[in-house]
Amino acid sequence: MHAPEIEGPVHLSELYIYPAADSLYVLGETLANFNASGSYYPSNFFENFTFDRIKGRWRMQKANYRHEARLDPEIASLQFRNLPSNYKKEFLAGMIGGYARRAYQVIDPLCPGYTHEFLSYLVSGPILSVTQPREIRLNLSSVFANYGLKVNFKTSETHGSFSDIPRHLQEVNDYDLLLTTIVLILARLDVSQWINRLEKIDQNRTITRLLAILFRRENVSSWEGFIADLFRLKKKQYQYEDLISYQPAPIRGLFSFIEQFYVTNRVPEEDVFGEGLKLLKNTLATLAQNKVLNGYTYIEALVDGIDYLAQVADQQGDTMTSISLAQSSTILLQLLSPEPTGMEERLSRSEMSNYYWDNLTVDSTREKDNLLKNYLPLNYVAYNNSRSKTYLQCFSTSHNLFNEEKVSNHLWTALWCNRRLQRETLIFLHDLSSQLDTWREDQKQHYFLLLKDAFQSYVNGQHKFSDALVSYQKPNQIRSHYTDVFTGLEEVDAHTFLNVEQRATMKFHKALQADTFDGRTLVALQELVMAIDGVK
């Protein structure tokens, strides 16, 4: 067996690698993608890949020395041995870190334990950090299986319904029940069916009794005084207050959200998620301020639950509902973007969600209903806007941490995802513009608002990119490889291309100031798309 290439302790997560190894982190990810398909490059893979200065990522230029084999972590480790002497250990750690991040996503689900074994061949001693997808906080599939329920979309019910299936007993704790209920509320599913099933199977469980009282709004009585006492009109209210008082503080905190949702009765049907999100943010902020709980793990659980429902809707062919739920999941994830703890792990987990509609095109919808046919691509654009904003907010958090000298590197992978998504979205909206003549005025207005939002996010990404590059100009600061690429005098091609993109951006910004979508706006959008089409 070969000796390890790196002696620990060592950091392998992107935020803590050597700054000049930032682009090599992405090379490691690229190599893991090829290995996942059984292609290995054990003899100096640098001859096969080249760094694209315009796109900020690695691409294959030729396939010399390719070796086909089954998934094997020892064979994979051979690719990282006998590298050119100018690649010191800090660079190697960056490549290994990127490889591990991607391997945990695409190889470990097929071959459990692969990445851990791969790292054992190359690193001895403690690994201080390495990015893995965070653990699943709420397994909604197991919860529903335990209660014999299946979610059905594409039914006569607007937001989905439940049907019975054989029960498969699973371990479901009180937090699972409570968080599942909140997921169903935010996803606008039929909570009454869920409560009825809990009462049928777990009627003696305290959480079930509390949820049933809340759902029927029996925890608050309008009766007071002698009459209320005589006829015991406040029995359920007293029962609820007694039962809830014995619950742990986090349970009481989560119940407070459901109390506000149902008892205040101020959540409009047309915006349940939006209003529910406001209540949830206020609830968690209050609880965190009072040191009752750290809300990010509960938000992660809600993300898991809604993401599961989005996957189910997608599998059942309800694309519109799936996109809507996927966007809700992404918006919840945005709430956690200022939280550095677990940030890389959260993004890694979110990237493992795949949908049939991931690569939707302007002509790919088969819906016969014109209203749905027109709004489906717009909802897809809104979802991608939300995703790109999430990536940019996480990159911004990493930028703040870098300036505070709490980390050694930026979260560049998040920025590149943001840039790619925004460029693809603007191109998608340009392609969609050819259909606008057949749309109603309100649909055109929706299109124009999304276009402005996408462009503003695109510009914000450019600004954050510039801010990050400048942050490496401080005295004695180890320069990022990306800084050399985009600010170095030798990299004329990247400069020239980005200047073309910048000029097109300024022209489109001026066209949007008229606040109307007309022929001039369309021409400016076309020029912008031509400028970015080669970089996306």
Side-chain angles (χ1 to χ4, degrees):
M1 180 181 289
H2 295 279
E5 292 286 316
I6 297 177
E7 291 185 9
V10 61
H11 280 289
L12 299 179
S13 64
E14 189 176 10
L15 286 175
Y16 296 98
I17 61 171
Y18 189 61
D22 47 12
S23 68
L24 294 174
Y25 190 88
V26 180
L27 176 58
E29 288 193 313
T30 303
L31 192 60
N33 284 329
F34 280 100
N35 289 178
S37 63
S39 296
Y40 296 89
Y41 301 88
S43 301
N44 192 7
F45 58 80
F46 283 102
E47 294 185 15
N48 297 279
F49 297 92
T50 184
F51 184 70
D52 190 323
R53 297 180 177 91
I54 295 171
K55 299 182 182 181
R57 59 177 184 248
W58 295 82
R59 58 181 175 82
M60 178 172 284
Q61 61 178 351
K62 54 185 178 180
N64 291 347
Y65 315 115
R66 185 173 67 178
H67 174 66
E68 299 288 338
R70 69 184 190 281
L71 292 175
D72 188 319
E74 186 171 12
I75 293 177
S77 71
L78 297 178
Q79 301 168 116
F80 295 85
R81 299 186 184 278
N82 303 317
L83 295 180
S85 58
N86 57 323
Y87 282 89
K88 54 185 180 180
K89 299 303 182 183
E90 290 88 348
F91 292 126
L92 181 59
M95 283 188 284
I96 293 173
Y99 184 97
R101 180 186 189 274
R102 190 63 178 149
Y104 277 123
Q105 292 177 319
V106 299
I107 302 181
D108 267 49
L110 304 173
C111 186
Y114 172 98
T115 308
H116 178 77
E117 185 177 346
F118 162 81
L119 291 173
S120 71
Y121 291 123
L122 294 170
V123 182
S124 66
I127 295 177
L128 301 177
S129 64
V130 62
T131 302
Q132 304 181 47
R134 65 160 178 79
E135 63 179 295
I136 297 291
R137 305 287 187 190
L138 175 63
N139 190 331
L140 216 55
S141 175
S142 295
V143 174
F144 289 157
N146 184 67
Y147 290 95
L149 291 173
K150 175 188 175 184
V151 183
N152 300 299
F153 297 97
K154 278 269 187 186
T155 65
S156 57
E157 298 293 331
T158 307
H159 305 293
S161 61
F162 290 105
S163 61
D164 294 341
I165 59 172
R167 288 188 68 194
H168 295 279
L169 298 183
Q170 308 282 335
E171 183 177 348
V172 178
N173 60 41
D174 288 348
Y175 289 95
D176 291 337
L177 287 186
L178 197 48
L179 290 165
T180 296
T181 305
I182 295 175
V183 166
L184 298 181
I185 289 172
L186 294 176
R188 301 174 70 183
L189 266 73
D190 189 346
V191 181
S192 63
Q193 285 185 283
W194 166 245
I195 299 297
N196 290 339
R197 180 54 57 97
L198 292 184
E199 288 188 294
K200 181 179 179 181
I201 293 176
D202 265 346
Q203 66 270 28
N204 294 323
R205 194 168 185 165
T206 300
I207 294 296
T208 297
R209 295 163 66 189
L210 286 167
L211 285 171
I213 293 172
L214 265 187
F215 178 71
R216 299 186 180 100
R217 296 177 173 82
E218 296 171 335
N219 60 309
V220 175
S221 173
S222 59
W223 294 92
E224 296 291 344
F226 173 74
I227 296 296
D229 293 335
L230 178 64
F231 293 100
R232 303 181 67 191
L233 299 176
K234 303 181 73 172
K235 176 183 176 182
K236 288 290 185 180
Q237 179 179 335
Y238 292 147
Q239 183 183 13
Y240 180 84
E241 292 171 353
D242 181 57
L243 290 174
I244 198 72
S245 67
Y246 290 101
Q247 296 302 308
I251 291 284
R252 295 200 308 272
L254 293 174
F255 262 107
S256 68
F257 163 77
I258 304 178
E259 285 180 34
Q260 292 179 74
F261 188 91
Y262 279 119
V263 177
T264 58
N265 199 26
R266 60 181 178 179
V267 178
E269 174 63 22
E270 64 272 12
D271 192 22
V272 167
F273 179 79
E275 292 299 316
L277 190 64
K278 291 178 186 177
L279 286 176
L280 185 63
K281 288 169 64 176
N282 293 337
T283 300
L284 293 177
T286 301
L287 296 173
Q289 188 176 7
N290 296 332
K291 299 182 179 180
V292 172
L293 55 78
N294 188 338
Y296 75 87
T297 57
Y298 298 100
I299 295 290
E300 290 174 352
L302 300 180
V303 168
D304 290 338
I306 294 182
D307 187 60
Y308 169 79
L309 294 177
Q311 299 278 352
V312 171
D314 184 37
Q315 293 162 10
Q316 295 179 3
D318 191 346
T319 303
M320 186 71 105
T321 298
S322 178
I323 292 176
S324 177
L325 289 168
Q327 185 180 10
S328 297
S329 173
T330 303
I331 292 172
L332 281 169
L333 188 61
Q334 280 181 24
L335 295 181
L336 299 175
S337 56
E339 173 56 58
T341 304
M343 180 169 61
E344 291 183 81
E345 289 76 10
R346 281 192 290 275
L347 286 179
S348 179
R349 170 61 62 188
S350 71
E351 291 167 4
M352 295 181 70
S353 297
N354 296 304
Y355 301 97
Y356 290 118
W357 46 262
D358 264 337
N359 297 308
L360 189 74
T361 66
V362 295
D363 299 317
S364 63
T365 175
R366 296 184 297 274
E367 300 290 347
K368 295 180 180 179
D369 183 288
N370 283 333
L371 181 66
L372 187 57
K373 185 174 182 178
N374 293 344
Y375 271 111
L376 186 60
L378 293 181
N379 282 14
Y380 176 68
V381 168
Y383 163 72
N384 274 337
N385 275 348
S386 295
R387 284 180 67 203
S388 66
K389 288 176 183 177
T390 301
Y391 278 120
L392 189 60
Q393 289 171 11
C394 289
F395 180 77
S396 181
T397 296
S398 76
H399 178 61
N400 294 337
L401 293 171
F402 182 83
N403 284 337
E404 295 167 4
E405 299 183 352
K406 294 180 178 178
V407 298
S408 59
N409 191 39
H410 284 77
L411 205 59
W412 289 106
T413 51
L415 179 71
W416 295 128
C417 287
N418 163 268
R419 307 306 294 143
R420 175 181 57 80
L421 281 169
Q422 287 303 156
R423 287 164 169 156
E424 289 177 353
T425 297
L426 288 170
I427 292 172
F428 184 91
L429 284 166
H430 170 263
D431 294 343
L432 197 59
S433 65
S434 63
Q435 302 179 11
L436 291 179
D437 288 342
T438 64
W439 288 21
R440 297 192 327 236
E441 285 303 316
D442 61 319
Q443 294 171 338
K444 292 178 183 179
Q445 185 63 21
H446 191 185
Y447 169 92
F448 185 54
L449 292 174
L450 281 173
L451 177 60
K452 291 200 295 185
D453 185 45
F455 179 70
Q456 186 58 56
S457 297
Y458 169 75
V459 172
N460 290 343
Q462 287 182 324
H463 291 164
K464 293 296 181 183
F465 187 19
S466 298
D467 291 344
L469 294 179
V470 170
S471 65
Y472 288 94
Q473 307 300 317
K474 291 182 274 188
N476 303 320
Q477 172 65 53
I478 300 172
R479 287 171 67 87
S480 154
H481 181 220
Y482 292 128
T483 304
D484 287 334
V485 166
F486 291 102
T487 64
L489 295 178
E490 351 183 298
E491 313 301 348
V492 179
D493 52 349
H495 264 295
T496 303
F497 200 95
L498 292 176
N499 284 338
V500 171
E501 187 180 5
Q502 185 67 28
R503 286 196 297 271
T505 299
M506 294 173 66
K507 184 173 181 179
F508 187 62
H509 175 71
K510 186 175 292 186
L512 281 182
Q513 289 179 326
D515 209 30
T516 57
F517 188 80
D518 54 21
R520 288 171 300 178
T521 315
L522 187 56
V523 169
L525 176 60
Q526 187 170 1
E527 290 184 15
L528 177 60
V529 165
M530 289 174 64
I532 68 177
D533 197 25
V535 240
K536 66 181 176 65

